[in-house]
Every structure is written in structure tokens, then in C-alpha cells.
Amino acid sequence: MGKTSRFGAGLVLALAMGGLTACATDDSTTAAPAPSATTAASAPAATSGLTMTDPWIKAADEGMTAAFGTLVNGGTTDITVVSAATAVSPMMELHETTMVNGAMQMQPKQGGFTIPAGGEHVLEPGGDHIMMMGLTTPVKAGDQVPMTLTLGDGSTVQFTAVGKPFTGAQESYAPGAHGGAMPSMSAGAHS
């Protein structure tokens, strides 16, 4: 073996031994490196188990409408949806429907929708739903509308809902809902 070959082999052996020694050190005394943008983007989020099945939006030309479907949590921890967004509506709220004085009324859902680990949460006309107010673009039957849900941990879930015709349930807004910004009206106009 020549002098250059022995030097190269020695260098490779020294680097390999240094690598093994580094693996054997106690990590508790050294700070972990900050994750790179690539690492952070590829790491699965704790809430990555949330999906929306059969998402749809009641077709509407203007004003208000609502989105429905089933939120499915395939993860091992509870997930809370705290808000929703889409380009066709500047104001969205997570709503629940409750019985008040013998009539069904919609109101913002305090704390959002919590989907238990391994469970699901149905969004349906006459029940919980995603309210869309002040439509900027009509939602026609067959339209594909991208939507984003924000979860309690700050992560997001995206899905596309399809516009469908629907005549609606018959609930109304709770007095004072929407900070007084929206008038009372029956759900037939939106959900």
C-alpha cells in the first residue's frame, strides 16, 4: 500500500471513529439542533389524523351559507377545530344549533368542535356546521371550494367542499349572535 493510500485509509478510519464516539456521548449536556425548515415541514403534526369526509356547501348566490361533512380523527389524541377560512367568505364561524323557546337557533360554538381520538364529529343541516357569511362569490352546485380549518395547536387542515343545492333546516340565529353584525333570519336562506 502506498503512502497516499495509507494516509487516506487512516483518515477514513479516524473520521469513522470520531463519528462513533460522537454517537456514544451523553446528549443531555448538549443542546439539540434546531430543526431545519425541511425537517419541520416533513415532520408529522400531532393532529395530522384529522380529515373531512364528504364535505359540501349549500349552494347560494349571495349572503350566507354553510359547510357540512364529517370530521374524522384518526389520531390518538383529541383534536379541536377553532376556526375555518375560505376565499369565498370573509367571515366564518363554527356554529351549533340549540333549542330555545321551542325553536331551533344557531349560535357560535364556544371553544370550537372537539373531535375525540379515534372518533368523528358530524356537521349537518340543523346541527353543528361551518357558517359562511358575506359571500364574495356565488357558490353554485358543482363548484369546488377550497377550505382551511385551523386547529387548537395552530396547525391547519385543508379540504375541498362541493357546492350542492339544499333547501335548509328551519333554525334561526340566537339574538346577539355574530356580535350584532348579522340580522336574524331563518336557516332556509343559508343552511
Side-chain angles (χ1 to χ4, degrees):
M1 195 187 272
K3 194 174 199 174
T4 306
S5 296
R6 278 186 278 178
F7 177 75
L11 181 59
V12 170
L13 182 59
L15 291 173
M17 292 303 291
L20 290 175
T21 304
C23 291
T25 60
D26 180 10
D27 277 15
S28 64
T29 59
T30 60
S36 68
T38 304
T39 303
S42 63
T47 55
S48 64
L50 185 68
T51 57
M52 173 72 108
T53 61
D54 302 321
W56 65 280
I57 298 171
K58 182 206 173 282
D61 289 330
E62 60 184 7
M64 294 180 275
T65 191
F68 311 99
T70 302
L71 295 163
V72 179
N73 181 352
T76 58
T77 59
D78 293 355
I79 297 173
T80 301
V81 175
V82 295
S83 66
T86 183
V88 303
S89 174
M91 184 176 176
M92 297 179 69
E93 291 180 347
L94 306 179
H95 274 194
E96 65 183 344
T97 305
T98 60
M99 185 68 74
V100 177
N101 297 325
M104 296 300 289
Q105 288 188 345
M106 293 180 291
Q107 61 190 17
K109 174 73 172 169
Q110 297 301 316
F113 302 137
T114 298
I115 304 89
E120 60 183 42
H121 187 88
V122 177
L123 304 178
E124 62 187 350
D128 289 352
H129 57 278
I130 301 170
M131 193 72 202
M132 304 166 65
M133 295 162 277
L135 289 178
T136 57
T137 305
V139 175
K140 303 289 185 188
D143 283 355
Q144 301 284 318
V145 180
M147 299 186 75
T148 301
L149 301 177
T150 300
L151 310 182
D153 67 359
S155 64
T156 59
V157 173
Q158 297 179 346
F159 63 94
T160 299
V162 64
K164 292 185 177 184
F166 183 74
T167 56
Q170 295 302 314
E171 63 272 320
S172 62
Y173 286 111
H178 313 290
M182 304 303 287
S184 284
M185 65 186 303
S186 73
H190 62 279
S191 65

